[in-house]
Amino acid sequence: MTTKTLISWLMIICPIGMIVVFAGVEPAIMGEADESLPTQDRILSTLNAFTEKELAGNVINLVGLLFMIGWLSALAILGKELKENGAALGSVASLVFTAVLAILAVSLGLSLGANDLFAEGNKAAAVTLELASESAWYGFPQLLGVGYTLLGLGLVLERNPLPRVLAGLFVLAGLATFILAPINDGLGFLLFLISILLVITSGIFLLRQGN
């Protein structure tokens, strides 16, 4: 299997799997937190639900995490694969996507710690850790937007392996995510879905190109 084929499959399978797990399976099994509750009560409700279904929660988190790692790793590798005019921007984009992976690792570690503390009865500390875990995600849209923009610009300059139109859409999606996602959660989620669709489309194009 070539690097391009690996990237292609990761860009197709992982985003789809991630959406299915976190937008479909997790709410269906674990339930959804009541966003109208005060922050502390909402977090306590989430921690309590996880404790009641700990095995299912751990499996869902593990599978979802693997899909997220595959998605971000594919984008990071794609950036490193640019060797000509877009090499510099591709390398920086790769570093940005690696930083996004670091956010994921930090958030997960804090959340696991919060669940352990809650199970031990230390609810105040558990809420604090879980709040810190959620806060780690606040920079996620901006970093993701920067990564998409740099990768798209690198692909535009490279003229390969993606068409300029598709590469340009990466730039637009990245800029829109960076600027607009922090303004409104609903708009941010819509932009996230659009960017995921771009990743899947790019993966299909790369796979067909390889064949």
Side-chain angles (χ1 to χ4, degrees):
M1 179 183 290
T2 65
T3 301
K4 181 181 288 189
T5 302
L6 174 62
I7 293 172
S8 302
W9 282 115
L10 288 175
M11 291 174 71
I12 296 169
I13 295 172
C14 292
I16 294 174
M18 178 178 64
I19 295 298
V20 169
V21 169
F22 288 125
V25 177
E26 184 179 41
I29 295 177
M30 304 300 294
E32 295 186 76
D34 187 353
E35 297 295 335
S36 65
L37 292 173
T39 301
Q40 183 168 338
D41 292 339
R42 175 181 57 79
I43 291 176
L44 284 172
S45 174
T46 301
L47 291 170
N48 185 60
F50 186 89
T51 301
E52 292 176 351
K53 302 175 181 178
E54 186 174 2
L55 179 59
N58 282 326
V59 171
I60 289 170
N61 284 337
L62 176 61
V63 174
L65 175 65
L66 290 175
F67 282 132
M68 290 192 76
I69 290 174
W71 159 56
L72 292 169
S73 296
L75 295 174
I77 297 170
L78 180 59
K80 291 294 288 184
E81 283 293 297
L82 303 184
K83 302 297 183 185
E84 298 178 8
N85 294 337
L89 288 172
S91 295
V92 178
S94 180
L95 291 175
V96 173
F97 289 123
T98 303
V100 177
L101 276 171
I103 289 177
L104 175 63
V106 170
S107 178
L108 177 65
L110 291 171
S111 187
L112 290 174
N115 288 320
D116 288 342
L117 287 172
F118 187 83
E120 294 170 2
N122 194 344
K123 295 184 178 181
V127 169
T128 301
L129 269 188
E130 186 63 25
L131 185 59
S133 174
E134 291 184 1
S135 299
W137 286 96
Y138 287 165
F140 179 83
Q142 286 85 353
L143 271 180
L144 192 62
V146 169
Y148 278 134
T149 302
L150 292 173
L151 180 60
L153 288 172
L155 289 166
V156 168
L157 293 174
E158 192 87 356
R159 301 183 183 179
N160 191 46
L162 295 179
R164 278 192 166 184
V165 172
L166 196 52
L169 289 175
F170 266 108
V171 177
L172 293 176
L175 289 173
T177 300
F178 179 79
I179 297 171
L180 301 175
I183 298 176
N184 182 276
D185 289 342
L187 179 59
F189 185 67
L190 176 61
L191 291 170
F192 176 73
L193 291 179
I194 291 172
S195 68
I196 288 296
L197 181 60
L198 279 175
V199 172
I200 296 169
T201 303
S202 300
I204 294 171
F205 182 87
L206 289 173
L207 189 62
R208 288 181 174 177
Q209 188 183 59
N211 293 332

